């Protein structure tokens, strides 16, 4: 029996509500399967920590996380703290510190979900978006000068390296190769961004030669948004830059029914460091403390966590429990048009596991 060390970082807002529920489903899985054991270490980093210490996480925080097998993260965001401080001080500090360069976001219409695309069947919307997670538009390169003066200037530089683009392209092609359709769409904007995005396109062509069994095409990001709505069945695996995939994956989650059900994995494919798994819904302070948060996005993130650890049977068991619960309308939370509470959904998922 292997004991997996799991770091839990609830962060801010409803992250404090859904991460403990994620821990409960992992404990339910361990109770069902004697070969599974999880050891949890909680970290109270986030907005409250910032108010006490002036930083979102301690300077040696990465060292504390390094021995862990995986990280379950809630959200970063506080209405009283500027967003760039909460994001760069916690989530991006972990993602970049551990070189989690592949952000993976699966999307499909779960059973029982009333998705906005009325002419789309669940079989036609089954995507996985691969987001370059370490550079591009979120590289942090830039600055401000002459602040407060009429000549004030601010720059954010999108930085792409050949090594960074090659590795995310290779990851995306390999993922597409592993899926039944072996289909990849490379999202670009090389008609307007004529340097870095042109290199992105050129590297896609080069990497494609390594995967002759993968069918692939190229789509401008603005056209990709329309294609996701109008022709969802033509998409399967999608790879895009940090900013483009950030936007497209939120659209994908909304098209599948709700941001509350969507998961994310921040992956270090080389497994040098722990990878981090989180729902994409954010801190949602407007519903914090009301018991309304949908924990399904966290549970699906736990599925990804288990798959990353190689525990496929446990991942399948949890996904089956998730689908059984979403197929039951009385267990839908408010974002899905229902009245169920966070705790009720968790209890139902744990009951299905047991």
């Amino acid at each position: 029996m292997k004991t997996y060390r799991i770091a839990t970082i609830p962060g801010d807002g409803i992250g404090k509500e859904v991460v403990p529920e994620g821990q409960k489903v992992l404990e339910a899985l361990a109770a069902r399967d004697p070969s599974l054991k999880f050891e949890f270490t909680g970290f109270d980093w986030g907005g409250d920590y910032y108010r006490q210490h002036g930083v979102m996480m301690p300077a040696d925080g990465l060292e504390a996380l390094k021995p862990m097998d995986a990280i379950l993260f809630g959200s970063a965001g506080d209405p009283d703290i500027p967003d760039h401080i909460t994001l760069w001080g916690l989530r991006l500090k972990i993602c970049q510190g551990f070189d989690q360069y592949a952000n993976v976001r699966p999307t499909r219409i779960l059973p029982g979900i009333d998705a906005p695309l009325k002419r789309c069947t669940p079989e036609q919307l089954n995507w996985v978006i691969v987001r370059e997670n370490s550079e591009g538009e979120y590289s942090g390169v830039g600055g401000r000068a002459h602040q407060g003066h009429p000549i004030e200037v601010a720059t954010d530089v999108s930085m792409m390296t050949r090594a960074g683009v090659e590795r995310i392209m290779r990851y995306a092609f390999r993922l597409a190769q592993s899926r039944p359709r072996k289909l990849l769409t490379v999202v670009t904007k090389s008609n307007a961004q004529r340097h870095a995005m042109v290199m992105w396109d050129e590297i896609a062509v080069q990497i494609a030669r390594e995967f002759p069994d993968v069918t692939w095409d190229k789509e401008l990001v603005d056209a990709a948004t329309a294609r996701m709505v109008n022709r969802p069945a033509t998409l399967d695996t999608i790879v895009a830059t940090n900013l483009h995939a950030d936007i497209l994956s939120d659209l994908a989650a909304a098209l599948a029914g709700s941001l509350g059900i969507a998961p994310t994995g921040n992956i270090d494919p080389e497994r040098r460091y722990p990878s981090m798994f989180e729902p994409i819904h954010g801190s949602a302070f407007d519903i914090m403390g009301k018991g309304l948060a949908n924990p399904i996005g966290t549970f699906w993130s736990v599925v990804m966590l288990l798959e990353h650890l190689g525990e496929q049977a446990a991942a399948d068991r949890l996904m089956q429990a998730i689908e059984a619960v979403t197929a039951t309308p009385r267990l839908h939370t408010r974002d899905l048009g229902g009245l169920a509470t966070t705790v009720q959904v968790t209890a139902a998922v744990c009951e299905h596991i047991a």
Side-chain angles (χ1 to χ4, degrees):
M1 178 176 66
K2 177 174 174 54
T3 299
Y4 293 107
R5 295 160 297 177
I6 309 297
T8 58
I9 309 176
D12 303 317
I14 62 170
K16 297 177 182 179
E17 299 171 41
V18 295
V19 166
E21 305 305 293
Q23 181 171 332
K24 286 178 187 176
V25 299
L26 281 167
E27 289 168 343
L29 288 163
R32 165 77 186 266
D33 184 351
S35 69
L36 271 182
K37 187 176 180 183
F38 300 102
E39 184 180 280
F40 298 96
T41 304
F43 296 88
D44 63 346
W45 305 335
D48 291 340
Y49 190 91
Y50 179 85
R51 277 181 275 273
Q52 290 182 324
H53 303 281
V55 290
M56 294 289 288
M57 63 182 283
D60 61 352
L62 292 179
E63 288 301 314
L65 293 175
K66 200 174 286 184
M68 302 295 167
D69 294 300
I71 303 164
L72 183 60
F73 185 80
S75 61
D78 187 298
D80 299 322
I81 304 171
D83 287 343
H84 68 278
I85 291 177
T86 58
L87 184 65
W88 282 93
L90 185 56
R91 183 184 175 278
L92 288 184
K93 188 169 184 178
I94 297 170
C95 290
Q96 295 194 351
F98 286 154
D99 200 20
Q100 296 165 345
Y101 66 83
N103 178 277
V104 181
R105 298 189 171 188
T107 305
R108 58 186 175 91
I109 301 174
L110 296 177
I113 301 296
D114 182 25
L117 288 182
K118 301 302 181 188
R119 292 174 294 169
C120 176
T121 67
E123 294 74 29
Q124 291 173 323
L125 200 164
N126 187 346
W127 306 329
V128 59
I129 297 177
V130 177
R131 169 184 173 187
E132 200 293 311
N133 206 35
S134 66
E135 48 184 46
E137 301 86 352
Y138 298 171
S139 61
V141 178
R144 294 176 69 178
H146 312 300
Q147 284 184 254
H149 298 281
I151 58 170
E152 183 172 355
V153 60
T155 61
D156 276 297
V157 180
S158 175
M159 182 194 72
M160 294 189 195
T161 65
R162 171 165 288 276
V165 178
E166 283 184 353
R167 67 184 185 178
I168 199 63
M169 284 291 178
R170 194 168 279 116
Y171 183 92
F173 270 96
R174 193 174 291 123
L175 181 59
Q177 187 183 51
S178 73
R179 287 167 61 84
R181 296 176 68 189
K182 300 186 189 301
L183 177 66
L184 177 68
T185 297
V186 176
V187 173
T188 184
K189 193 58 182 169
S190 51
N191 59 339
Q193 295 173 283
R194 59 183 185 168
H195 302 298
M197 292 305 307
V198 170
M199 183 182 78
W200 171 273
D201 292 352
E202 292 170 353
I203 291 173
V205 173
Q206 294 164 14
I207 300 299
R209 297 188 186 116
E210 301 175 20
F211 300 89
D213 56 336
V214 174
T215 301
W216 75 284
D217 63 354
K218 184 175 74 172
E219 190 77 85
L220 295 175
V221 64
D222 43 341
T225 62
R227 181 172 165 187
M228 289 168 72
V229 174
N230 295 329
R231 296 185 294 133
T234 67
L235 296 164
D236 187 84
T237 308
I238 301 165
V239 62
T241 67
N242 216 330
L243 174 62
H244 292 164
D246 190 6
I247 297 167
L248 292 177
S249 56
D250 274 21
L251 171 61
L255 293 175
S258 169
L259 265 66
I261 62 176
T264 302
N266 301 287
I267 311 294
D268 168 27
E270 283 73 44
R271 299 176 183 267
R272 300 157 296 175
Y273 307 105
S275 293
M276 182 165 70
F277 302 86
E278 58 177 320
I280 76 167
H281 52 56
S283 54
F285 263 76
D286 57 322
I287 62 169
M288 181 185 178
K290 299 178 181 179
L292 300 175
N294 191 341
I296 294 295
T298 299
F299 299 160
W300 198 348
S301 299
V302 171
V303 170
M304 299 181 72
L305 181 155
L306 290 165
E307 290 173 337
H308 184 73
L309 294 178
E311 296 292 344
Q312 190 62 50
D316 292 343
R317 185 173 295 126
L318 176 53
M319 198 70 219
Q320 289 163 9
I322 290 169
E323 292 179 345
V325 168
T326 62
T328 308
R330 66 177 176 82
L331 293 171
H332 287 182
T333 44
R334 192 176 70 173
D335 57 305
L336 296 173
L339 298 173
T341 66
T342 309
V343 171
Q344 287 171 336
V345 174
T346 302
V349 169
C350 290
E351 185 179 332
H352 277 281
I353 290 170

